[in-house]
Amino acid sequence: MMTPSPALLEVKGLKAFVESTEILHGIDLGVSPHEVVAFIGPSGCGKSTFLRCLNRLHEETPGGRAEGRVSLEGQDIYAVGTDPVRIRRRIGMVFQKPNPFPSMSIFENVASGLRLNRIAKGIELEARVEAALREAALWNEVKDKLDASGMSLSGGQQQRLCIARALAVKPPVLLMDEPTSALDPVSTAKIEELVIQLKKETTILMVTHNMQQAARISDRTAFFLYGDLVEYGPTTKVFTTPSDRRTEEYITGRFG
Amino acid sequence: MNWRHWLNRLFIFGVCSLALIALVPLFSVLFYVISHGASSLTPGFFTSLPAPVGEIGGGIGHAILGSVVLISMCSLISIPLGLGMGILLSEYSQKPVSRVLGVVVELLSSIPSIVVGLFAYALVVRPFRGFSAHAGAIALSMIMIPLVARTTEEMLKLVPRSVREAGLALGLPKARVILNIVFMGSMRSLTVGVILAVARIAGETAPLLFTAFASQHWFQGLSEPLASIPVQIYTYAVSPYEDWHAKAWGGALILILMVLGLNLLIRVFLPRRKDG
Ligand SMILES: Nc1ncnc2c1ncn2[C@@H]1O[C@H](COP(=O)(O)OP(=O)(O)OP(=O)(O)O)[C@@H](O)[C@H]1O
Ligand SMILES: [Mg+2]
């Protein structure tokens, strides 16, 4: 691109559809490197859909389609001829529901991205799997049963396994869709710590229904409502002096 | 409280009785075949050629070998093709090729096996002027390919979309997600499907009657007629000789044992219950 944009991620007029239903009505938003952005908003307002548009996963939904511009480091990821696979290698994702690979062991799950994309093998692979499991606060619970099936873990453990799987490939951008909604307070605290630490290397976009969590860890907060981005700004400002009445009502729990 | 208890008892009793009734034919077939066939099962029965009419002894070793050859050839053709078609049907179901293929597989699997035999006769036996193992294997494949394709399709469709999405989100190309995650992850159930298909074709007689036909000799090459257990049973069973009838029962017993063996083998591969 001719003029490199200061933003890492630049979203312009993004609309998302499923069949003929418009789910996102033109979103404009920019994210700078090493930022943590929290996405809040009532259930069904399009937060997950928005994240899924950023790694071109929305188009894998039957009938799913996106319009508009999303550029990653100045390059339009929806430009004709862009391979979604290359985009997804730079944008990792943790899903709202844990989805470990059912037939793979714990180790293989975490190793899958590195192994199948031929990024690492042997001792390096083992080291990176261990590091990712430690970061996801799961290592101590699974270090003696790395060969057990990923499905044998509890729901919260599976979620941390999926976090480890996404971390292992060290993506420069990480999308996290309610990563702690199934976790106990201790694991949640560890994941929050992880997010703050990861900021040094990664940019994180995280959906959360937990206002305190958004306030604790994010630099900026985006408030979605019925497929629109109602408010987007520094977290402290959004939480203390929101410019939109609806944001204030939502944050203070007086909404709807 | 109490009547619920009795109702429950009654229900269990009813279900068990029905299960028992269903078992009656199975066990009577088994019992009948064993009681008529067991006496034929001497070591020689497995290893020797049929004796000329009137002579005592001889076996169906050639037919056992023939069946093994036919099943192997058919598997060699049908497993890769069937698995490939199954992947196409399940993973690329939107593609026009896949839709057409779906119809073809559906039609193929509903053709009666005798018609499959006639078709293979017209397609292979006539042009090449003679019954052959090739023709037999092709006829059996026309039955096995749709079986494998259908089960593969169904097994792969059981893998949830969220799992595929997890693979895609890791930056894996679609083909790799399909192969390494969806396909490899369904290995156990796919193996079961393939074994069931083998068990199914092992007993097919009609498609072989006009293709591999029959033979009184050991395997003589893929372009020659080839004996098989089901056709041998048929030949013996329709004969007027008492001794041959006994041999037909012996062959039937071997066939049943083979299929039972395959079904037991499936137990080994059945997808394990996920612990926890
Ligand atoms: N596959 C789909 N088919 C049809 N509609 C869909 C599909 N996925 C999402 N939607 C619709 O899109 C809207 C936004 O869904 P989305 O999952 O993005 O919401 P969300 O903000 O993530 O909600 P939550 O907080 O409950 O996770 C919803 O109204 C939903 O009904
Ligand atoms: Mg969501």
Side-chain angles (χ1 to χ4, degrees), chain A residues 125-137:
Chain A
L125 179 71
E126 282 173 29
R128 284 182 68 169
V129 168
E130 179 177 338
L133 281 168
R134 282 187 191 281
E135 285 181 323

Side-chain angles (χ1 to χ4, degrees), chain A residues 142-154:
Chain A
V142 302
K143 62 172 185 273
D144 299 321
K145 51 168 184 176
L146 290 173
D147 290 330
S149 161
M151 300 300 278
S152 68
L153 298 174
S154 78

Side-chain angles (χ1 to χ4, degrees), chain A residues 43-44 46-49 96 177-178 207 209:
Chain A
S43 188
K47 306 177 297 293
S48 296
T49 306
Q96 189 164 352
D177 198 348
E178 299 184 41
V207 175
H209 281 295

Side-chain angles (χ1 to χ4, degrees), chain A residues 52 57 60-62 85 88-89 91 93 95 99-104 112-113 116-118 151-152 165, chain B residues 159-174 176 180-181 184-186 274-276:
Chain A
R52 290 166 59 88
L57 208 58
E60 297 294 331
T61 308
V85 168
R88 295 180 194 134
R89 287 195 184 158
I91 306 185
M93 184 164 205
F95 293 77
N99 51 0
F101 298 133
S103 59
M104 291 191 190
S112 54
L116 298 177
N117 277 332
R118 305 188 203 291
M151 300 300 278
S152 68
R165 182 177 62 191
Chain B
V159 177
R161 202 156 54 87
S162 64
V163 168
R164 295 160 212 264
E165 288 186 346
L168 291 174
L170 278 174
L172 302 176
K174 186 167 181 190
R176 203 158 268 290
N180 289 70
I181 293 167
M184 294 308 278
S186 312
K274 308 288 182 215
D275 19 324

Side-chain angles (χ1 to χ4, degrees), chain A residues 162-224:
Chain A
C162 294
I163 294 175
R165 182 177 62 191
L167 290 176
V169 291
K170 294 187 186 296
V173 179
L174 189 57
L175 310 173
M176 302 179 102
D177 198 348
E178 299 184 41
T180 62
S181 60
L183 301 189
D184 62 281
V186 177
S187 316
T188 301
K190 284 185 181 158
I191 298 301
E192 288 184 11
E193 252 170 64
L194 167 74
V195 168
I196 292 166
Q197 264 178 30
L198 279 176
K199 261 173 70 168
K200 289 176 209 132
E201 307 137 41
T202 315
T203 305
I204 295 169
L205 284 72
M206 181 162 131
V207 175
T208 177
H209 281 295
N210 182 333
M211 296 301 131
Q212 285 82 23
Q213 183 171 63
R216 273 195 299 270
I217 61 173
S218 70
D219 303 301
R220 286 212 263 182
T221 297
F223 173 54
F224 274 67

